[in-house]
């Protein structure tokens, strides 16, 4: 996140002691505060350092509007008073590009500050501060960082948060899937992972997963058969079995077999899920994956796309006990890795035309050239996809986009992270 480029050096920053007192008071009070109490607490403490009228705005599930966080949000599906569209507004641009922006260039006394947890975009703060200098903007940025941590720590147990970020009723299967998966965006200085899912309120059988283990990123995507709650249960069992296998230290091949065994044991071969399980060695760019009857991973490399070939195993849950093959490739610096479900490429519009792989990858290539943040690229992709299908999807559409900048760990850093010398592939 960067400050507005046109800020002058006028104004004065709050004394260091006041800033320390503000942050300390927020942290101390947060231990026994609910999410509904956070806005008043933040506004009160921020005023001590000259940041006034602070309001917290959170993005909805589909990242189309920003709604003010209040103690009593509107009922699910009702329009929140004071909500702001992300498209075509200054607040929306601050959210999209991760930059602190003045609400008005002519009178820069009110500011929009991105609210992010790491790189996962939550919303924005509205802050009033007259004559803000560089130090004041840093105070805004740091305040936003702390507020993001407070929101994230409170939201798992907050029905207020769940209602605020929804614009209509959610199905039971979608409720289950969103609770299951990790946050949509995560990044380090050597890796960015971002995901989107639609239809957000009715998704049933699609799930994604990722986790970091030292210098290794674990990645997965599943598409369970059907479009009902049973599909959600199938996907849930597949993903939970994968995590259990991974936590037990098992490799990709063994994980794929265990998922097949779990689904077959539970559903007797009547329910299955396709999927891709993968690991990415961030130190070298080595990619390993197994394909269980799913669309293969795709690499976006500059202005070209490469579909990775690998002998697929049957979908998990068929109980056929056929061989599972682990395949390997290497990413190049700047590559983007795509995992996706067929709902993104095979969905048809009213004229019967598929969205298609060419349209899908062309959109990503064009927006990569625009140097947009990865989560913003995916937000625009899914909105474009929804518009193409007149916002009526007949199948789940899920995309996981992984960007590898190609900044590897040194050998010393890698060994410090793993605790063991390099060289183990973890595939058996």
């Amino acid at each position: 996140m960067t400050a507005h480029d046109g800020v002058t050096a006028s104004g004065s920053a709050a004394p260091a002691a006041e800033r320390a007192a503000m942050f300390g008071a927020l942290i101390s009070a947060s231990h026994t505060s609910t999410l509904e109490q956070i806005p008043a607490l933040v506004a009160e403490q921020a005023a001590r350092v000259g940041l006034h009228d602070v309001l917290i705005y959170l993005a909805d599930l589909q990242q189309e509007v920003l709604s003010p966080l209040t103690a009593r949000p509107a009922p699910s599906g009702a329009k929140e008073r004071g909500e702001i569209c992300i498209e075509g507004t200054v607040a929306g641009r601050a959210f999209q590009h991760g930059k602190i922006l003045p609400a008005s260039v002519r009178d820069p006394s009110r500011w929009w500050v991105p609210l992010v947890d790491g790189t996962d975009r939550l919303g924005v703060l509205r802050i009033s501060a007259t004559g803000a200098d560089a130090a004041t903007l840093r105070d805004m940025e740091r305040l936003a960082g702390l507020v993001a941590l407070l929101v994230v720590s409170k939201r798992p147990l907050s029905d207020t948060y769940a209602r605020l970020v929804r614009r209509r009723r959610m199905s039971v299967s979608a409720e289950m899937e969103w609770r299951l998966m990790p946050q949509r965006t995560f990044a380090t200085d050597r890796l960015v992972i971002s995901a989107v899912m639609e239809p957000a309120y009715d998704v049933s059988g699609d799930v994604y997963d990722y986790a970091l283990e030292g210098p290794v990123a674990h990645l997965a995507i599943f598409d369970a058969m059907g479009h009902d709650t049973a599909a959600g249960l199938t996907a849930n069992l597949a993903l939970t079995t994968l995590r259990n296998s991974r936590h037990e230290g098992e490799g990709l091949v063994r994980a794929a077999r265990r998922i097949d065994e779990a689904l077959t044991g539970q559903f007797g071969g009547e329910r299955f899920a396709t999927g891709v399980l993968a690991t990415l060695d961030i130190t070298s760019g080595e990619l390993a994956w197994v394909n269980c009857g799913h669309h293969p991973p795709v690499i976006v490399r500059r202005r070209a796309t490469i579909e990775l070939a690998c002998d697929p195993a049957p979908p998990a849950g068929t109980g056929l006990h056929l061989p599972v093959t682990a395949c390997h490739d290497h990413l190049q610096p700047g590559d983007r890795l795509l995992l996706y479900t067929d709902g993104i490429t095979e969905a048809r519009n009213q004229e019967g035309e598929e969205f298609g792989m060419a349209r899908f990858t062309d959109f990503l290539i064009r927006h990569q050239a625009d140097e947009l943040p990865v989560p913003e690229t995916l937000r625009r992709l899914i909105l474009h996809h929804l518009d193409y299908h007149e916002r009526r999807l007949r199948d789940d559409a899920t995309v996981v986009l992984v960007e590898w900048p190609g900044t590897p760990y040194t050998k010393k850093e890698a060994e410090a992270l793993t605790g063991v010398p390099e060289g183990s592939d973890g595939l058996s």
Side-chain angles (χ1 to χ4, degrees):
M1 178 167 57
T2 58
H4 174 60
D5 295 335
V7 175
T8 66
S10 62
S12 58
E18 284 295 324
R19 291 201 301 274
M22 175 192 70
F23 289 120
L26 284 174
I27 293 171
S28 296
S30 71
H31 296 309
T32 54
S33 297
T34 65
L35 182 71
E36 294 86 349
Q37 293 172 315
I38 295 298
L41 175 63
V42 170
E44 176 186 357
Q45 294 299 326
R48 298 173 60 172
V49 296
L51 306 180
H52 301 286
D53 305 321
V54 178
L55 291 179
I56 302 170
Y57 286 78
L58 298 177
D60 71 301
L61 189 61
Q62 294 176 299
Q63 298 184 334
E64 295 181 310
V65 299
L66 298 161
S67 300
L69 174 59
T70 62
R72 295 182 179 180
S76 181
K79 184 175 181 179
E80 191 72 36
R81 184 178 180 182
E83 74 176 23
I84 301 169
C85 288
I86 288 177
E87 297 293 340
T89 64
V90 178
R93 289 199 298 276
F95 174 84
Q96 290 172 290
H97 298 282
K99 293 183 178 181
I100 301 176
L101 297 175
S104 170
V105 176
R106 295 181 180 179
D107 180 24
S109 60
R110 178 170 291 178
W111 301 81
W112 293 106
V113 184
L115 191 63
V116 295
D117 174 38
T119 52
D120 188 27
R121 304 179 302 176
L122 305 178
V124 294
L125 294 185
R126 192 202 72 182
I127 300 176
S128 294
T130 303
D133 59 10
T136 303
L137 293 177
R138 282 196 298 273
D139 286 346
M140 293 182 190
E141 184 175 353
R142 290 167 180 168
L143 176 64
L146 178 55
V147 171
L149 290 174
L150 297 181
V151 170
V152 168
S153 70
K154 305 297 180 183
R155 70 181 177 185
L157 300 177
S158 173
D159 283 351
T160 293
Y161 182 90
R163 285 196 294 269
L164 182 66
V165 300
R166 301 180 189 190
R167 303 188 74 198
R168 61 185 180 87
R169 295 180 64 86
M170 179 177 286
S171 69
V172 172
S173 57
E175 185 86 48
M176 179 167 52
E177 306 298 58
W178 284 115
R179 288 283 184 175
L180 177 68
M181 291 176 295
Q183 64 191 45
R184 284 180 287 189
T185 301
F186 174 83
T188 72
D189 57 347
R190 293 175 170 89
L191 187 72
V192 181
I193 304 170
S194 193
V196 289
M197 290 179 59
E198 284 290 345
Y201 297 94
D202 295 302
V203 65
S204 53
D206 280 12
V207 291
Y208 67 86
D209 193 33
Y210 63 83
L212 275 292
E213 183 180 4
V216 176
H218 298 276
L219 309 163
I221 193 167
F222 292 100
D223 182 359
M225 67 170 289
H227 307 288
D228 52 13
T229 304
L233 292 170
T234 305
N236 194 317
L237 180 56
L239 183 50
T240 303
T241 304
L242 168 64
R243 288 175 175 169
N244 179 256
S245 178
R246 197 170 66 220
H247 297 162
E248 293 296 321
E250 298 171 342
L252 296 176
V253 171
R254 178 58 183 150
R257 289 174 178 155
R258 284 195 56 195
I259 295 166
D260 180 61
E261 292 166 0
L263 296 185
T264 303
Q266 181 66 39
F267 301 111
E270 296 182 358
R271 286 292 205 182
F272 62 85
T274 68
V276 171
L277 320 179
T279 60
L280 175 63
D281 187 333
I282 308 172
T283 65
S284 64
E286 181 182 359
L287 177 71
W289 78 97
V290 298
N291 186 340
C292 300
H294 198 81
H295 291 284
V298 172
I299 293 176
V300 180
R301 181 169 293 159
R302 292 180 287 276
R303 301 195 63 82
T305 58
I306 304 167
E307 186 175 283
L308 301 181
C310 185
D311 292 336
T318 56
L320 297 176
H321 306 297
L322 296 177
V324 178
T325 302
C327 298
H328 299 262
D329 210 301
H330 273 86
L331 300 188
Q332 295 180 9
D335 278 354
R336 289 183 171 186
L337 174 70
L338 280 177
L339 305 179
Y340 65 97
T341 61
D342 56 15
I344 195 74
T345 54
E346 297 179 7
R348 299 177 182 271
N349 63 14
Q350 296 301 307
E351 288 71 42
E353 298 173 341
E354 286 188 350
F355 192 72
M357 177 59 75
R359 185 178 280 106
F360 174 35
T361 54
D362 179 66
F363 186 95
L364 294 174
I365 289 170
R366 286 188 289 108
H367 283 73
Q368 184 174 8
D370 294 338
E371 297 184 348
L372 288 172
V374 171
E376 180 58 21
T377 296
L378 286 190
R379 189 188 76 88
R380 296 187 184 193
L381 168 68
I382 209 68
L383 291 177
H384 177 59
H385 184 67
L386 286 168
D387 289 343
Y388 182 82
H389 299 292
E390 299 180 6
R391 304 189 79 83
R392 291 194 295 270
L393 299 181
R394 296 179 179 86
D395 193 9
D396 298 347
T398 302
V399 181
V400 177
L401 181 57
V402 182
E403 184 175 67
W404 187 63
T407 309
Y409 291 105
T410 65
K411 183 178 180 180
K412 183 177 180 180
E413 288 174 323
E415 291 182 355
L417 284 168
T418 62
V420 295
E422 296 175 285
S424 174
D425 59 16
L427 296 174
S428 60

